[in-house]
Amino acid sequence: MIDESRVEGGALSRDGVAAEVALAEVRALRAGDRPTHGGRLFAYVYDPAVPGLDDLAAAAHRESAHVNGLDPTAFPSLLAMENALVAAAGRVLGGGPGTTAPDVVGSVTSGGTESLILAVKAARDAHPELTAPRIVVPASAHAAFAKAAHYLRVALDVVPVSPDTLRPDPAAMAAAIRPETVLVACSAPSYAHGVVDPVAEIAAAAADAGVRCHVDACFGGWTLPYLRRLGAPVPAFDFAVPGVTSISVDLHKYAYAPKGVSVLLHRDAALRAPQYFAYADWPGYTMINPVIASTRSGGPIAAAYATLRHLGDSGYLALAERTRDAVAGLAAAVRGVDGLRLMAEPESTVVCFTATEGGPDLFVLVDELTARGWHTQPQLSYAGLPASVHLTVTAAVAPRVAEFGPDLVDAVAAARAAGPVRLPGELAALAGALTPDALTPELVAGLAAGLGLGAEPAAGEDGGSTAGPLPERMALVNTLLDAAPPALRERLLVEFVGLLQRPSW
Ligand SMILES: *Cc1c(COP(=O)(O)O)cnc(C)c1O
């Protein structure tokens, strides 16, 4: 028996609320988010600042939100839109009729991570004879490869990148290939630094060894071809490169579609076949899934379709031009500041910088930029690479570029004046002595309280500065994480986010 007095709680109200009330609640919650428009957010959101595009995508999403991608025979509209998106991605990436990769096929997935998991799955399942399959990736490869390896129980062989070029040595990639290797991967470009790996050499080495080669173009696959058409010296990275067997490109990044759409392309159908999962050995409907999800909303796919149809090739070219100019302007601003240096000369749509010897504390600088309305992404130091600040640049940034330079100068001055954050004695002692296995709930709670994380205002608040579950300034958290080795970082992140993810009864 359900106790009716306990039905109401959280999102569930006793008798429902008026539609306007429900929507007003969403809007009120959204007001606390970082701004998704306005060109001052350099991560998570890709904004072309094209008038009317949001409304178009939302309308298309609404048309297809309840359509289920589970069964393409019941909903041919979705199959048609998916095939059109795959064809478009194939064309942008050097495949299709009249190219050296005429037989390219693909699937629409929910995002880059799913595309990469499926690329690894297809490679793994093409070799059922291998009991301990492995993949080779550069250290700069997206973390989603590690996730894929973890989920699929495939070993991950990581090849270091040069601290100067931020790229792997193709010879080292080739040397890492073993008899159990099912996939070699590289990025075009890498997310962290925006540099394009030596795809041609890596793909040639993979082909020589008879191994698949995946190019992760999730981030830049939709911009590099346009930047090349605008005259940028973009190296070959797509299906024009012999040996490249699959490519991923996220439409919810630089194709400017709303979230939930990526494309995984294979050079031919035989390469794609082991990606599918089919099951007929149960009493329900026979299941044939090209991707991880079974029930899938048509909403994101329709929104992506409408976005591509509306912007068109010349639209993307114009957006790439605006983005390129914004990148140049931001990079010039960084070059103009004493104490900062670019991690790499921008060759795509990322500006990534670090501090020089005696420069400002980057984590404090990130907070100072946030205080000035610029939302950048701190990257922790890793394997000989210094901590850095990442800016994903989209077309919406172009009109803001002139304001960035003076604010950056100002923020650097403020960060210098403030000096680096120091971990309070007990935090430093804890962090120094900790191993992931030694973390107890009490230690985590103590660390979180010291950092101002996950605090419920009532719970023994002792004058800490938090109003909500996250501190206004993140430098202390970032400094602690930066001081910890990756395995401890991972555990701390899991524990901290676990503290945030609690039911709001
Ligand atoms: C964003 C990104 C991914 C992961 O994509 P999600 O859509 O966040 O799952 C993978 N690789 C690269 C290079 C990316 O930039």
Side-chain angles (χ1 to χ4, degrees):
M1 270 298 273
I2 296 177
D3 172 358
E4 282 192 28
S5 70
R6 304 205 52 194
V7 163
E8 191 174 6
L12 191 63
S13 60
R14 171 160 294 276
D15 298 309
V17 297
E20 315 84 75
V21 173
L23 194 57
E25 287 177 5
V26 172
R27 294 201 168 120
L29 287 167
R30 285 278 294 109
D33 290 347
R34 293 192 169 191
T36 53
H37 292 296
R40 286 170 161 266
L41 176 59
F42 292 108
Y44 313 118
V45 171
Y46 296 76
D47 180 17
V50 171
L53 191 63
D54 273 2
D55 289 338
L56 169 65
H61 193 289
R62 190 165 52 231
E63 288 294 329
S64 295
H66 294 289
V67 165
N68 193 339
L70 175 65
D71 185 350
T73 63
F75 302 106
S77 67
L78 216 50
L79 182 64
M81 284 190 270
E82 287 194 342
N83 285 341
L85 291 175
V86 169
R91 285 222 192 266
V92 167
L93 293 166
T99 70
T100 55
D103 302 322
V104 162
V105 294
S107 308
V108 175
T109 75
S110 67
T113 300
E114 187 176 10
S115 290
L116 297 185
I117 291 174
L118 290 169
V120 174
K121 180 209 180 300
R124 183 196 69 174
D125 290 354
H127 287 281
E129 79 286 2
L130 292 176
T131 51
R134 320 181 68 86
I135 62 173
V136 175
V137 301
S140 54
H142 195 279
F145 282 109
K147 181 172 175 178
H150 179 76
Y151 276 22
L152 298 167
R153 288 188 186 271
V154 168
L156 186 67
D157 291 315
V158 179
V159 174
V161 296
S162 149
D164 300 322
T165 66
L166 306 169
R167 294 174 174 81
D169 173 6
M173 292 288 290
I177 299 174
R178 304 199 210 170
E180 303 80 24
T181 303
V182 295
L183 183 73
V184 175
C186 55
S187 314
S190 64
Y191 177 82
H193 308 117
V195 303
V196 181
D197 286 338
V199 174
E201 291 96 320
I202 292 169
D208 280 350
V211 174
R212 292 178 183 226
C213 176
H214 181 81
V215 176
D216 178 7
C218 282
F219 183 80
W222 210 270
T223 40
L224 289 178
Y226 289 102
L227 293 174
R228 183 189 286 140
R229 276 164 62 181
L230 292 166
V234 174
F237 72 95
D238 60 16
F239 283 115
V241 178
V244 169
T245 54
S246 56
I247 306 180
S248 50
V249 57
D250 291 351
L251 303 189
H252 63 204
K253 288 179 180 161
Y254 284 99
Y256 293 120
K259 301 273 180 278
V261 188
S262 170
V263 174
L264 172 60
L265 300 167
H266 296 273
R267 189 178 282 274
D268 60 47
L271 288 161
R272 181 179 62 176
Q275 177 192 315
Y276 286 93
F277 179 78
Y279 201 73
D281 205 6
W282 74 307
Y285 55 86
T286 50
M287 200 165 77
I288 165 67
N289 291 157
V291 297
I292 295 174
S294 199
T295 286
R296 287 191 292 150
S297 169
I301 293 163
Y305 177 84
T307 301
L308 261 69
R309 293 296 295 151
H310 183 58
L311 290 176
D313 185 63
S314 62
Y316 284 114
L317 190 65
L319 289 168
E321 187 168 21
R322 228 171 290 160
T323 308
R324 176 199 66 185
D325 294 347
V327 166
L330 296 171
V334 171
R335 276 191 216 98
V337 178
D338 196 34
L340 300 181
R341 74 172 169 85
L342 292 167
M343 286 289 288
E345 280 305 312
E347 50 187 274
S348 57
T349 54
V350 171
V351 174
C352 181
F353 60 86
T354 187
T356 56
E357 190 84 20
D361 182 286
L362 285 182
F363 301 133
V364 176
L365 175 58
V366 164
D367 285 342
E368 291 296 339
L369 284 168
T370 305
R372 288 162 181 75
W374 300 99
H375 304 281
T376 62
Q377 195 169 48
Q379 299 183 143
L380 305 182
S381 58
Y382 167 75
L385 302 178
S388 59
V389 179
H390 168 109
L391 311 184
T392 287
V393 184
T394 57
V397 177
R400 299 266 87 87
V401 169
E403 301 156 30
F404 182 74
D407 278 353
L408 182 63
V409 169
D410 204 41
V412 166
R416 281 185 186 281
V421 296
R422 302 239 174 272
L423 292 176
E426 74 277 31
L427 274 188
L430 270 178
L434 273 180
T435 59
D437 290 341
L439 274 182
T440 61
E442 293 72 32
L443 271 176
V444 171
L447 275 173
L451 294 167
L453 282 175
E456 288 181 38
E461 188 71 354
D462 56 5
S465 61
T466 55
L470 284 175
E472 218 151 85
R473 295 192 154 242
M474 292 297 286
L476 191 59
V477 176
N478 286 322
T479 303
L480 175 79
L481 291 173
D482 200 58
L488 181 56
R489 289 175 186 173
E490 290 160 6
R491 261 303 290 280
L492 287 171
L493 289 168
V494 169
E495 298 293 343
F496 290 159
V497 173
L499 289 178
L500 297 177
Q501 296 196 302
R502 292 290 162 92
S504 51
W505 294 120

mmCIF file of all heavy atoms in Angstrom, residues 3 26 49 52 54 94-95 103 124 166 172 181 190 202 209 236 270 280 283 289 330 348 439 444 449 493 501:
data_model
loop_
_atom_site.group_PDB
_atom_site.id
_atom_site.type_symbol
_atom_site.label_atom_id
_atom_site.label_comp_id
_atom_site.label_asym_id
_atom_site.label_seq_id
_atom_site.Cartn_x
_atom_site.Cartn_y
_atom_site.Cartn_z
ATOM 1 N N ASP A 3 1.423 4.910 1.049
ATOM 2 C CA ASP A 3 0.934 5.880 2.019
ATOM 3 C C ASP A 3 0.747 7.197 1.284
ATOM 4 O O ASP A 3 1.711 7.839 0.870
ATOM 5 C CB ASP A 3 1.978 6.007 3.143
ATOM 6 C CG ASP A 3 1.633 7.147 4.096
ATOM 7 O OD1 ASP A 3 0.632 7.842 3.865
ATOM 8 O OD2 ASP A 3 2.400 7.322 5.056
ATOM 9 N N VAL A 26 11.318 25.982 -14.295
ATOM 10 C CA VAL A 26 12.492 25.660 -15.129
ATOM 11 C C VAL A 26 13.290 26.939 -15.395
ATOM 12 O O VAL A 26 14.520 26.962 -15.264
ATOM 13 C CB VAL A 26 12.058 25.008 -16.463
ATOM 14 C CG1 VAL A 26 13.252 24.868 -17.396
ATOM 15 C CG2 VAL A 26 11.415 23.651 -16.210
ATOM 16 N N ALA A 49 25.259 31.964 -32.658
ATOM 17 C CA ALA A 49 24.611 33.288 -32.595
ATOM 18 C C ALA A 49 23.918 33.628 -33.910
ATOM 19 O O ALA A 49 24.044 34.734 -34.430
ATOM 20 C CB ALA A 49 25.630 34.375 -32.216
ATOM 21 N N GLY A 52 17.178 33.177 -34.790
ATOM 22 C CA GLY A 52 16.124 32.260 -35.197
ATOM 23 C C GLY A 52 16.497 30.790 -35.136
ATOM 24 O O GLY A 52 15.624 29.921 -35.218
ATOM 25 N N ASP A 54 17.710 28.882 -32.697
ATOM 26 C CA ASP A 54 17.182 28.194 -31.506
ATOM 27 C C ASP A 54 15.723 27.816 -31.701
ATOM 28 O O ASP A 54 15.306 26.706 -31.359
ATOM 29 C CB ASP A 54 17.268 29.109 -30.273
ATOM 30 C CG ASP A 54 18.607 29.003 -29.577
ATOM 31 O OD1 ASP A 54 19.463 28.245 -30.074
ATOM 32 O OD2 ASP A 54 18.785 29.672 -28.553
ATOM 33 N N GLY A 94 35.200 13.758 -46.426
ATOM 34 C CA GLY A 94 35.981 13.145 -47.505
ATOM 35 C C GLY A 94 35.472 11.814 -48.010
ATOM 36 O O GLY A 94 36.209 11.086 -48.678
ATOM 37 N N GLY A 95 34.205 11.470 -47.720
ATOM 38 C CA GLY A 95 33.663 10.207 -48.220
ATOM 39 C C GLY A 95 32.486 10.444 -49.143
ATOM 40 O O GLY A 95 32.064 11.574 -49.359
ATOM 41 N N ASP A 103 32.099 4.107 -50.200
ATOM 42 C CA ASP A 103 31.166 3.199 -49.518
ATOM 43 C C ASP A 103 30.944 3.552 -48.052
ATOM 44 O O ASP A 103 30.481 2.723 -47.263
ATOM 45 C CB ASP A 103 31.685 1.757 -49.611
ATOM 46 C CG ASP A 103 31.856 1.333 -51.064
ATOM 47 O OD1 ASP A 103 31.002 1.724 -51.887
ATOM 48 O OD2 ASP A 103 32.850 0.641 -51.373
ATOM 49 N N ARG A 124 36.674 -4.177 -31.349
ATOM 50 C CA ARG A 124 36.835 -5.337 -30.459
ATOM 51 C C ARG A 124 36.086 -6.541 -31.015
ATOM 52 O O ARG A 124 36.621 -7.646 -31.106
ATOM 53 C CB ARG A 124 36.304 -4.998 -29.068
ATOM 54 C CG ARG A 124 36.495 -6.104 -28.060
ATOM 55 C CD ARG A 124 35.631 -5.911 -26.821
ATOM 56 N NE ARG A 124 34.202 -6.088 -27.126
ATOM 57 C CZ ARG A 124 33.237 -6.089 -26.210
ATOM 58 N NH1 ARG A 124 33.552 -5.893 -24.940
ATOM 59 N NH2 ARG A 124 31.974 -6.254 -26.555
ATOM 60 N N LEU A 166 52.723 18.748 -28.515
ATOM 61 C CA LEU A 166 51.469 18.216 -27.947
ATOM 62 C C LEU A 166 50.882 17.116 -28.831
ATOM 63 O O LEU A 166 49.689 16.830 -28.784
ATOM 64 C CB LEU A 166 50.450 19.340 -27.721
ATOM 65 C CG LEU A 166 50.980 20.504 -26.869
ATOM 66 C CD1 LEU A 166 50.047 21.694 -26.910
ATOM 67 C CD2 LEU A 166 51.195 20.045 -25.425
ATOM 68 N N ALA A 172 56.289 6.098 -32.305
ATOM 69 C CA ALA A 172 55.927 5.542 -30.990
ATOM 70 C C ALA A 172 54.541 4.917 -31.035
ATOM 71 O O ALA A 172 54.283 3.886 -30.409
ATOM 72 C CB ALA A 172 55.988 6.633 -29.924
ATOM 73 N N THR A 181 46.270 -5.707 -30.574
ATOM 74 C CA THR A 181 45.703 -4.376 -30.803
ATOM 75 C C THR A 181 44.583 -4.451 -31.845
ATOM 76 O O THR A 181 44.788 -4.983 -32.940
ATOM 77 C CB THR A 181 46.803 -3.404 -31.284
ATOM 78 O OG1 THR A 181 47.835 -3.378 -30.301
ATOM 79 C CG2 THR A 181 46.248 -2.003 -31.466
ATOM 80 N N SER A 190 42.759 17.490 -31.048
ATOM 81 C CA SER A 190 42.572 17.113 -29.650
ATOM 82 C C SER A 190 41.692 18.156 -28.971
ATOM 83 O O SER A 190 41.725 19.339 -29.333
ATOM 84 C CB SER A 190 43.922 17.062 -28.950
ATOM 85 O OG SER A 190 44.516 18.353 -28.924
ATOM 86 N N ILE A 202 50.048 7.914 -38.705
ATOM 87 C CA ILE A 202 49.469 6.963 -37.749
ATOM 88 C C ILE A 202 48.572 5.965 -38.485
ATOM 89 O O ILE A 202 48.633 4.748 -38.236
ATOM 90 C CB ILE A 202 48.695 7.716 -36.646
ATOM 91 C CG1 ILE A 202 49.683 8.504 -35.755
ATOM 92 C CG2 ILE A 202 47.871 6.752 -35.791
ATOM 93 C CD1 ILE A 202 49.022 9.487 -34.789
ATOM 94 N N ALA A 209 49.889 -2.724 -40.040
ATOM 95 C CA ALA A 209 49.716 -3.789 -39.051
ATOM 96 C C ALA A 209 48.370 -4.490 -39.202
ATOM 97 O O ALA A 209 48.045 -5.393 -38.432
ATOM 98 C CB ALA A 209 49.852 -3.201 -37.638
ATOM 99 N N ALA A 236 45.846 16.593 -43.907
ATOM 100 C CA ALA A 236 44.832 15.585 -44.240
ATOM 101 C C ALA A 236 44.501 14.780 -42.986
ATOM 102 O O ALA A 236 45.394 14.354 -42.258
ATOM 103 C CB ALA A 236 45.363 14.667 -45.335
ATOM 104 N N ALA A 270 31.177 -3.393 -43.937
ATOM 105 C CA ALA A 270 31.762 -4.540 -43.236
ATOM 106 C C ALA A 270 32.442 -4.090 -41.945
ATOM 107 O O ALA A 270 32.396 -4.786 -40.922
ATOM 108 C CB ALA A 270 32.771 -5.254 -44.151
ATOM 109 N N ALA A 280 17.270 -11.889 -30.675
ATOM 110 C CA ALA A 280 15.950 -12.433 -30.978
ATOM 111 C C ALA A 280 15.608 -13.579 -30.040
ATOM 112 O O ALA A 280 14.621 -14.284 -30.233
ATOM 113 C CB ALA A 280 15.916 -12.911 -32.431
ATOM 114 N N PRO A 283 11.114 -13.513 -25.552
ATOM 115 C CA PRO A 283 9.748 -13.546 -26.081
ATOM 116 C C PRO A 283 9.215 -12.193 -26.567
ATOM 117 O O PRO A 283 8.132 -12.140 -27.144
ATOM 118 C CB PRO A 283 8.900 -14.054 -24.905
ATOM 119 C CG PRO A 283 9.756 -13.977 -23.700
ATOM 120 C CD PRO A 283 11.157 -13.721 -24.100
ATOM 121 N N ASN A 289 19.889 -2.973 -32.524
ATOM 122 C CA ASN A 289 20.340 -1.634 -32.130
ATOM 123 C C ASN A 289 21.690 -1.314 -32.765
ATOM 124 O O ASN A 289 22.669 -2.008 -32.520
ATOM 125 C CB ASN A 289 20.521 -1.538 -30.605
ATOM 126 C CG ASN A 289 19.220 -1.595 -29.827
ATOM 127 O OD1 ASN A 289 19.219 -1.949 -28.656
ATOM 128 N ND2 ASN A 289 18.107 -1.256 -30.455
ATOM 129 N N LEU A 330 41.613 36.318 -29.852
ATOM 130 C CA LEU A 330 41.852 35.844 -28.489
ATOM 131 C C LEU A 330 43.315 35.455 -28.297
ATOM 132 O O LEU A 330 43.929 35.746 -27.265
ATOM 133 C CB LEU A 330 40.954 34.640 -28.173
ATOM 134 C CG LEU A 330 39.442 34.888 -28.169
ATOM 135 C CD1 LEU A 330 38.687 33.571 -28.064
ATOM 136 C CD2 LEU A 330 39.047 35.822 -27.022
ATOM 137 N N SER A 348 43.038 25.279 -34.882
ATOM 138 C CA SER A 348 41.623 24.955 -35.075
ATOM 139 C C SER A 348 40.811 26.003 -34.330
ATOM 140 O O SER A 348 40.983 27.190 -34.589
ATOM 141 C CB SER A 348 41.339 23.530 -34.589
ATOM 142 O OG SER A 348 41.705 23.381 -33.222
ATOM 143 N N LEU A 439 40.451 6.745 1.491
ATOM 144 C CA LEU A 439 39.378 7.733 1.625
ATOM 145 C C LEU A 439 38.177 7.127 2.340
ATOM 146 O O LEU A 439 37.565 6.195 1.845
ATOM 147 C CB LEU A 439 38.928 8.207 0.233
ATOM 148 C CG LEU A 439 39.685 9.353 -0.401
ATOM 149 C CD1 LEU A 439 39.046 9.692 -1.737
ATOM 150 C CD2 LEU A 439 39.705 10.575 0.489
ATOM 151 N N VAL A 444 36.220 12.371 3.319
ATOM 152 C CA VAL A 444 35.623 13.077 2.183
ATOM 153 C C VAL A 444 34.786 14.249 2.680
ATOM 154 O O VAL A 444 34.888 15.364 2.161
ATOM 155 C CB VAL A 444 34.749 12.119 1.344
ATOM 156 C CG1 VAL A 444 33.958 12.899 0.299
ATOM 157 C CG2 VAL A 444 35.617 11.072 0.665
ATOM 158 N N ALA A 449 34.013 19.905 3.189
ATOM 159 C CA ALA A 449 33.684 21.072 4.020
ATOM 160 C C ALA A 449 34.810 22.093 3.934
ATOM 161 O O ALA A 449 34.568 23.304 3.794
ATOM 162 C CB ALA A 449 33.468 20.634 5.464
ATOM 163 N N LEU A 493 36.826 13.266 -7.217
ATOM 164 C CA LEU A 493 35.738 13.771 -8.058
ATOM 165 C C LEU A 493 34.480 12.932 -7.879
ATOM 166 O O LEU A 493 33.374 13.461 -7.761
ATOM 167 C CB LEU A 493 36.170 13.777 -9.534
ATOM 168 C CG LEU A 493 37.218 14.827 -9.895
ATOM 169 C CD1 LEU A 493 37.780 14.564 -11.286
ATOM 170 C CD2 LEU A 493 36.604 16.228 -9.843
ATOM 171 N N GLN A 501 25.016 14.962 -5.806
ATOM 172 C CA GLN A 501 23.878 14.262 -6.405
ATOM 173 C C GLN A 501 23.105 13.527 -5.329
ATOM 174 O O GLN A 501 23.285 12.332 -5.111
ATOM 175 C CB GLN A 501 24.372 13.326 -7.496
ATOM 176 C CG GLN A 501 25.007 14.111 -8.641
ATOM 177 C CD GLN A 501 25.173 13.303 -9.895
ATOM 178 O OE1 GLN A 501 25.831 12.269 -9.888
ATOM 179 N NE2 GLN A 501 24.591 13.772 -10.989
#
